[in-house]
Amino acid sequence: MIWNDEFETLPREAIESLQAKRLRQVVERVNATVPFYRESFEKAGISPFQINTLDDLKRLPFTLKQDMRDNYPYGLFSVPLEQIVRIHASSGTTGKPTVVGYTRRDIEMWAELMARCFGAAGVHQGDIIQNAYGYGLFTGGLGAHYGAERLGASVIPMSGGQTKKQLMLLQDFGSTVLTCTPSYCLFLAEAAREEGIDIVNLPLRVGIHGAEPWSEQMRGEIEEKLGIKAIDIYGLSEILGPGVGIECIEAQHGLHLWEDHFIPEIINPDTGEVLPHGEKGELVITTITKEGIPLIRYRTRDITRIIPEPCICGRTHVRLERMSGRSDDMMIIRGVNVFPSQIESVLFKIEGVEPHYQLVVNREDNLDTLEVQVEVNEVTFSDEIKELQSLSRRIQKDIKEILGVSCQVKLVEPKTIARSEGKAKRVIDLRDQA
Ligand code: DLL
């Protein structure tokens, strides 16, 4: 369902002229209200009045996560605190969190975009949405919640965790839509199997999964194990939270990014050069309507490409290919660049292997090593050593052939790898300690 027909199907020229107008406004505004931007424009020798067309965007400097840290907590806000009605923060792995503030209009806009996302995923009034994204400083829970209410569906604010209770509600409340990370979704499926719950035959119809990278193979696992359509949703707290982009259920290919509110660019992460549509690189986003904390050319670190072809669903907003991962998560193993999601794709094609894995990177004698720890199912685990050895050789060989990287494979017992209620931790990098 197209939630906002007027905006979701705007002709390309109309999108671009709206973007150009909004870009001029936001650049002028941050220049006037955020000292960081005034200084950064000055340093780059550019006046906001020189930004007139979309093409001028590339003349502006980037904003980095570090800039948000340096201006912790409120330094990048563009309105006085009295106008901020909500504050979220993303934890980050080191140091202080990244803080974002929303005005009343920002919250309205967020709810509208999340309602569009639900519509794109085929969700409508009458649906019962079990929201298992965490409520709290994390944007997932409240972001999806407000969108669900805006849509007019019934939302169950379950939050993450409490797996047994999740399963009880899925059965008793007849949830038709589940929102949670893809890794937690598979965990729920596993827990259901153990409890003897026939999850495939529950009313659940759609899963809306994001907040972490996942592969097409993982989608297959989820769809099969839960008997649902699994939809990829993208977002980040710095830009909004969930709802920056989503796949449509018609194509399930590429995430429509709401271009009346955001301008996407793909850059070469090493040089900062803007790449043409279709080429893979780092996603950079400029927010053009946000009031609380507008960001100019924010480097997301997420790796994707813009799919230039129009979509069959009728939406005119560009699509981003499923994220391969974050450039910070990219492992460089003896010179070969590898994303965890690429290893995931290889693993999930192999019979007997469970969709739970972790990658341990280390350094021995100045050489990087990669150990792939992956669970095997009960049946395989009880096999003879000979068969287990042959399975681990097969995994090693497939990874080498497809990704060009050598690794050690450690097959582990079912349920050895820690399950996550939110974002899964796929990589353990021991190199700094080596
Ligand atoms: O994860 C917001 C969100 C909540 C998105 C619920 C979708 C669903 P952060 O905690 O700030 O915000 O983390 C943002 O997570 O830069 C990506 O690296 C990653 N990420 C988010 N969605 C996807 C996705 C939320 N669909 C960071 N595929 C982003 C791959 C994703 N990575």
Side-chain angles (χ1 to χ4, degrees), residues 180-189 207 209-232 247 252 322-323 340-350 353-357 418-420 422-426:
C180 63
T181 59
S183 54
Y184 189 56
C185 186
L186 278 179
F187 181 26
L188 278 174
H209 309 299
E212 63 184 6
W214 55 311
S215 61
E216 207 46 55
Q217 283 67 29
M218 184 145 171
R219 188 212 303 273
E221 290 271 337
I222 291 179
E223 294 198 330
E224 190 194 318
K225 290 201 162 129
L226 288 98
I228 59 174
K229 282 270 180 205
I231 303 290
D232 193 3
E247 284 177 342
Q252 274 189 308
R322 167 190 285 287
M323 306 288 145
S341 59
Q342 291 175 298
I343 299 208
E344 180 179 300
S345 304
V346 176
L347 290 178
F348 287 15
K349 283 185 196 142
I350 298 174
V353 164
E354 287 287 290
H356 303 286
Y357 66 97
R419 304 291 189 257
S420 137
K423 297 175 191 256
K425 184 165 172 51
R426 300 296 191 193

Side-chain angles (χ1 to χ4, degrees), residues 133 138 211-213 232-237 242 302 323 326 423:
Y133 284 119
F138 176 55
E212 63 184 6
D232 193 3
I233 183 167
Y234 173 73
L236 62 167
S237 45
D302 293 318
M323 306 288 145
R326 296 178 59 76
K423 297 175 191 256

Side-chain angles (χ1 to χ4, degrees), residues 320-335:
L320 303 176
E321 189 175 81
R322 167 190 285 287
M323 306 288 145
S324 324
R326 296 178 59 76
S327 56
D328 344 30
D329 283 346
M330 189 181 77
M331 303 173 287
I332 305 179
I333 308 292
R334 303 181 190 195

Side-chain angles (χ1 to χ4, degrees), residues 241-357:
V244 173
I246 192 159
E247 284 177 342
C248 54
I249 198 156
E250 292 88 343
Q252 274 189 308
H253 178 221
L255 300 101
H256 290 280
L257 179 121
W258 306 121
E259 285 187 277
D260 47 339
H261 297 274
F262 311 109
I263 305 179
E265 298 170 276
I266 301 292
I267 64 163
N268 174 328
D270 300 323
T271 63
E273 172 209 2
V274 178
L275 300 175
H277 276 22
E279 280 188 36
K280 209 166 187 164
E282 178 181 336
L283 173 66
V284 169
I285 300 180
T286 299
T287 70
I288 47 176
T289 53
K290 233 171 39 153
E291 297 180 332
I293 174 165
L295 292 180
I296 307 293
R297 303 195 84 200
Y298 182 69
R299 288 189 62 164
T300 65
R301 301 279 165 200
D302 293 318
I303 305 295
T304 179
R305 69 181 187 98
I306 288 176
I307 301 173
E309 295 81 30
C311 186
I312 49 164
C313 73
R315 290 179 186 78
T316 47
H317 298 231
V318 286
R319 283 176 293 161
L320 303 176
E321 189 175 81
R322 167 190 285 287
M323 306 288 145
S324 324
R326 296 178 59 76
S327 56
D328 344 30
D329 283 346
M330 189 181 77
M331 303 173 287
I332 305 179
I333 308 292
R334 303 181 190 195
V336 184
N337 299 353
V338 193
F339 284 107
S341 59
Q342 291 175 298
I343 299 208
E344 180 179 300
S345 304
V346 176
L347 290 178
F348 287 15
K349 283 185 196 142
I350 298 174
E351 187 80 26
V353 164
E354 287 287 290
H356 303 286
Y357 66 97

